[in-house]
Amino acid sequence: MAKCFSFAETRNRCFRFSFSQAGLKSATTDLGDGTVMHCWVPKTYKPSKPNLLLVHGIGANAMWQWNEFISPFVARFNVYVPDLLFFGDSYTTRPERTEQFQAQCVAGVLKAQGVRKTNVVGISYGGFVSYSLAAQFPEMVEKLVLCCAGVCMEDKDMEDGMFPVKSVDEAVSFLFPQTPEKVKEMLKIVFYKPMVKVPSCFVQDFIDVLCTEYLQERTELVNALHKDRKMSNVPKINQSTLIIWGEYDKVFPLELGHRLKRHMDENAQLVVIKDCGHAMNAEKPKEMYKHIKLFLVDPHLSPKKANQTNGQKVD
């Protein structure tokens, strides 16, 4: 019997309404060569406001990951929220799967929207894309915020036991769960505190609506992220950067945050959020927003840089 109600589709509709009410509209950009990018953009661009790009991680579409932040950010910025390739309504027929290509497509959307310079916030996989955007298009990126983004991981880290998975195939089954049991395993890893139990029928609906499309292409994104990854290949960037990490992140352990801070040296500050796992946007959204706001809007009010460079834990 066909389903008469979908929790995930209902949430999608609520998120679309929320984004629209906040002052954003849906826009699609054809970049050519079979590449189409979807992005939420301002209904009315205000030159008096700075620009802000929000780049989501692996999971559902961008709305699910940024909804909590849209209203406060729109009040202060011209906000742009793209769906990365193979998420939401963005796709390509081209074979490239690297974060560098994702960044080039995001840059193409910004250029199409007339955005010449913007602040950027990227979470998890979106942090990899954001870092690459800053490296490839330094004139476009003003300030950068990287949230739990393992940019400085190496392929050997998995062999060395840094992660809760032992192979890329295992990582794929964890990142793109196809059964309610796999979803529950995933939630135990990405959250520090266990979530309230969700009925299996809702979980299966979430999988059907948001986790089955472009599965092969998403798997290729993860493979490209890990293959032959070396610290020596991570470019240096000069943008002022805030690194935010969860104290108990199991997806990208905190060591990777310290590694990234050492790589960026004086250009970066590292803040560690206490009692928080990988999904900080869902688990500690108020703390995450507070630090982003202090860095982007009120830098003179933020904690002394000397107190943050060693990864001071904050409530």
Side-chain angles (χ1 to χ4, degrees), residues 42-282:
K43 289 180 180 177
T44 304
Y45 181 83
K46 298 183 178 179
S48 60
K49 289 182 179 181
N51 299 322
L52 177 63
L53 173 72
L54 302 177
V55 189
H56 69 85
I58 282 174
N61 59 55
M63 296 186 297
W64 287 70
Q65 300 185 36
W66 292 116
N67 186 64
E68 291 282 332
F69 302 84
I70 287 302
S71 290
F73 278 143
V74 167
R76 298 175 179 275
F77 299 92
N78 295 302
V79 176
Y80 299 83
V81 192
D83 283 321
L84 294 176
L85 293 173
F86 307 119
F87 297 93
D89 294 323
S90 297
Y91 62 89
T92 186
T93 58
R94 290 179 55 162
E96 292 94 331
R97 298 291 182 263
T98 63
E99 72 256 42
Q100 289 81 12
F101 182 62
Q102 290 272 21
Q104 290 161 17
C105 293
V106 171
V109 171
L110 293 176
K111 290 174 182 176
Q113 290 293 327
V115 178
R116 300 179 64 182
K117 202 168 189 67
T118 183
N119 298 291
V120 181
V121 180
I123 187 165
S124 193
Y125 177 69
F128 287 77
V129 177
S130 299
Y131 192 96
S132 182
L133 185 72
Q136 294 185 78
F137 305 94
E139 72 289 345
M140 181 175 279
V141 177
E142 192 167 2
K143 287 186 176 182
L144 179 64
V145 181
L146 301 173
C147 305
C148 55
V151 174
C152 286
M153 73 173 183
E154 297 189 293
D155 53 5
K156 68 182 182 66
D157 289 330
M158 190 171 290
E159 299 169 12
D160 294 343
M162 175 178 282
F163 306 112
V165 295
K166 296 179 175 60
S167 69
V168 176
D169 288 342
E170 191 179 345
V172 167
S173 69
F174 151 72
L175 291 169
F176 308 117
Q178 297 299 299
T179 66
E181 292 70 31
K182 282 292 184 182
V183 171
K184 292 169 185 176
E185 288 178 24
M186 180 263 291
L187 293 176
K188 287 180 182 178
I189 293 177
V190 300
F191 284 89
Y192 169 62
K193 294 182 179 179
M195 289 186 66
V196 176
K197 289 186 178 179
V198 181
S200 292
C201 60
F202 284 170
V203 177
Q204 186 60 55
D205 175 65
F206 175 84
I207 294 169
D208 293 341
V209 174
L210 296 164
C211 299
T212 56
E213 193 174 22
Y214 295 123
L215 183 58
Q216 179 58 40
E217 290 85 355
R218 293 179 183 184
T219 298
E220 292 165 1
L221 294 178
V222 175
N223 285 323
L225 202 65
H226 177 264
K227 185 180 179 183
D228 299 327
R229 195 172 192 93
K230 300 284 188 296
M231 270 290 299
S232 58
N233 295 330
V234 179
K236 292 277 189 178
I237 62 173
N238 296 318
Q239 290 89 344
S240 178
T241 302
L242 174 64
I243 304 167
I244 310 178
W245 225 274
E247 181 182 12
Y248 297 106
D249 192 330
K250 295 178 183 177
V251 177
F252 292 127
L254 180 55
E255 164 56 26
L256 292 176
H258 290 293
R259 193 184 290 179
L260 179 57
K261 170 65 185 77
R262 290 192 296 270
H263 178 71
M264 297 190 68
D265 199 21
E266 292 302 310
N267 287 332
Q269 308 169 38
L270 171 61
V271 170
V272 181
I273 299 180
K274 290 176 62 177
D275 299 332
C276 182
H278 184 70
M280 65 173 67
N281 55 325

